[in-house]
Amino acid sequence: CNDDALREKLGGDLVAMQRLVDEGLELARSMQSVEPAARLDLDALLSAIADDAADAGQPVRYSGAGSGSIQAGCKPNALRRAVENLVDNAIKYGGGALLSLSAEEGLACIRISDDGPGIPEERLAEVLRPFVRLESSRSRESGGTGLGLAIASNLVSAQGGRLVLENRPTGGLAATIMLPLD
C-alpha cells in the first residue's frame, strides 16, 4: 500500500467530514435563528448578492424588481444566507443563476433560476429535507452534503416564508422564496 496515496485519501476524507460537520451545525443554527427581524429593501439585497458574485467571476445576474423597490420584514442575515445557498446550487448544478424579484398577492417573491437539468418532479419536495442528494446531479466529487436546500428552507420558514422548487418549462430549476409583505 502506498503511504502517500493513503495519506491523500485520508486527507480528502477529513475535508469531507469537516464540511459535513460544518453544514450540520449550520442546519442546527438555521432551525433556531434568534436574529431580530428588520425592514429590508429586497431589491438592494439581491442586487448586492448578484454584484458580489459577478465580482468573484461567477455567472450570476439580477434582472431587477421591475416596479421599483420591494421591502419586507425579514431576518436580513438569514435571508441573505438562504439566497446565497440557492445561488450556489444554481451555479454548481445549473451553470449560473438569474435572480428576480416581484410582488404577487401580498408576497415578495425572490426567484433564483438556472438552466441546469432540473429535478425529477417526484423529488422536488424531498430534496428540501436534510441529507437528500440527487446522485444524477450531485456526485461525491461535487462535495454536496445534501444540506444546502434544507438549510435554505429552514432559514426561510423561520421568518414566516416558504421555499418552493419547480422545474422551468424551458428547462432548469426555479427556486422561489415567498415572504409576506406587511
Side-chain angles (χ1 to χ4, degrees):
C1 182
N2 182 336
D3 284 347
D4 288 339
L6 180 59
R7 190 172 297 117
E8 188 175 318
K9 182 183 178 335
L10 290 174
D13 288 347
L14 286 174
V15 168
M17 287 172 48
Q18 184 63 51
R19 185 179 305 119
L20 183 61
V21 168
D22 291 344
E23 292 231 349
L25 290 171
E26 186 67 30
L27 177 67
R29 282 192 290 271
S30 75
M31 293 189 284
Q32 297 181 357
S33 175
V34 294
E35 178 185 6
R39 196 131 190 85
L40 183 66
D41 181 335
L42 299 177
D43 184 58
L45 173 70
L46 297 178
S47 183
I49 289 171
D51 288 347
D52 290 349
D55 289 347
Q58 297 175 319
V60 178
R61 289 184 304 119
Y62 174 50
S63 66
S67 60
S69 174
I70 297 174
Q71 297 194 4
C74 62
K75 299 176 180 185
N77 293 327
L79 182 59
R80 175 181 275 276
R81 174 77 164 119
V83 172
E84 287 174 345
N85 273 12
L86 295 169
V87 166
D88 288 348
N89 273 2
I91 292 168
K92 189 183 284 186
Y93 305 114
L98 173 62
L99 283 67
S100 62
L101 174 65
S102 61
E104 301 169 18
E105 300 176 13
L107 297 171
C109 296
I110 299 169
R111 186 164 283 119
I112 299 97
S113 302
D114 67 49
D115 293 319
I119 295 175
E121 208 66 36
E122 67 276 6
R123 306 237 11 228
L124 284 170
E126 179 185 0
V127 296
L128 294 174
R129 294 198 317 260
F131 302 109
V132 173
R133 294 171 37 127
L134 299 177
E135 291 309 318
S136 64
S137 65
R138 293 181 156 206
S139 67
R140 296 280 176 210
E141 290 74 39
S142 73
T145 59
L147 291 174
L149 289 172
I151 291 168
S153 183
N154 285 344
L155 291 169
V156 171
S157 295
Q159 44 201 319
R162 215 174 87 187
L163 173 61
V164 175
L165 303 177
E166 60 188 345
N167 289 305
R168 298 172 53 215
T170 57
L173 186 72
T176 304
I177 295 171
M178 294 176 278
L179 296 170
L181 288 170
D182 36 36

